[in-house]
Amino acid sequence: MGIHDAVSRRAAVESVLLDSRTIQRRVCELGAQITRDYAGKFPHLVATLKGASIFLADLVRSIELDLSFDFITVTSYGDATESSGQLRIMKDLDETLELRHVLLVEDIVDTGLTLSYLLRTLGARRPTSLKTVALLNKPSRRKVHVPLDYVGFNIPDFFVVGYGLDYAQRYRNLPDICILRTAAGS
Ligand code: PRP
C-alpha cells in the first residue's frame, strides 16, 4: 500500500469507535450465546448485503453448530440517505425458509425500517422460528419498533464506517468501526 493511500484512509476517519479486538471479542460472545440457544437445531442465517457480509463471515465461524446461510439485498426506493420506508428486494434468497430456524443477520439497525420489512416479508415464508441479530444498534434513531434478540453494541448517533459499513461504498474493509470525519453526526 502506498503512503498516500494510508494517509488518505486515516484522514477520512475521525476516531475509532470499536477496534477490531473489541469487535472480535463481542462476536465470539454472540456466537457462543447462539450456539447455546440453538443447540440441537440447524440454524439458517440470512444476512443483508452488503453491510452484514463481514459480520456474518466472523459470526458463523464462532457458532459451533451445523448451519447454513443465505444472502438478501434490500434497497429503498429513491436516493434518500436514509431508509424511506419504501423497500424492495433487489436480490432474493436462493433457498426456501419453510420449516427452518431462521436468524436474520444485520450489521446495523438504525430506523428499524429495513429489519421491520424483512421480518414481515420473510416471516410470511413460514419459517419455524425467526430471530434477529444485529452487530450495531442505534436506538436513538428508531422509527419503528423491531425485536432484537441479539445485539453486539448499542452505539450513539455517529455515522460509522468499517467492518462492512460504508460511506458511498468505501471503507467497508476497515478492520475497526470508525466515526467518519466528513459525515460525523449525520
Ligand atoms: C444498512 C444496513 C441495514 C440498514 C439499516 O444497509 O445494512 O440493512 O441500512 O438501516 P435502517 O434501520 O434505517 O433501515 P444499506 O441500505 O446502507 O446497504 P448496505 O448494507 O449495502 O450498505
Side-chain angles (χ1 to χ4, degrees), residues 53-74:
S53 57
I54 309 261
F55 175 40
L56 179 86
D58 283 339
L59 184 65
V60 290
R61 286 179 289 176
S62 69
I63 299 175
E64 295 177 25
L65 294 171
D66 213 2
L67 57 75
S68 54
F69 60 81
D70 203 347
F71 294 98
I72 192 165
T73 307
V74 175

Side-chain angles (χ1 to χ4, degrees), residues 48-52 73-76 82-83 87 106-115 118 141-142 164-166 169 172:
T48 52
L49 290 173
K50 303 173 186 138
T73 307
V74 175
T75 316
S76 325
E82 69 175 48
S83 308
L87 296 158
E106 269 288 22
D107 49 337
I108 188 163
V109 178
D110 192 336
T111 62
L113 291 167
T114 305
L115 196 56
L118 282 171
R141 298 262 305 164
R142 199 68 91 253
L165 291 122
D166 75 307
Q169 300 303 326
R172 292 193 199 272

Side-chain angles (χ1 to χ4, degrees), residues 60-140:
V60 290
R61 286 179 289 176
S62 69
I63 299 175
E64 295 177 25
L65 294 171
D66 213 2
L67 57 75
S68 54
F69 60 81
D70 203 347
F71 294 98
I72 192 165
T73 307
V74 175
T75 316
S76 325
Y77 286 103
D79 202 19
T81 51
E82 69 175 48
S83 308
S84 61
Q86 302 273 7
L87 296 158
R88 66 185 158 134
I89 294 173
M90 289 290 286
K91 180 225 166 286
D92 207 336
L93 300 170
D94 292 335
E95 294 177 45
T96 174
L97 299 183
E98 199 162 353
L99 301 178
R100 302 178 93 159
H101 291 287
V102 175
L103 181 57
L104 268 172
V105 181
E106 269 288 22
D107 49 337
I108 188 163
V109 178
D110 192 336
T111 62
L113 291 167
T114 305
L115 196 56
S116 168
Y117 170 78
L118 282 171
L119 283 167
R120 237 180 6 259
T121 309
L122 302 185
R125 298 185 189 184
R126 312 198 329 164
T128 298
S129 67
L130 183 56
K131 288 189 170 186
T132 57
V133 54
L135 179 67
L136 304 176
N137 181 33
K138 271 190 191 174
S140 63

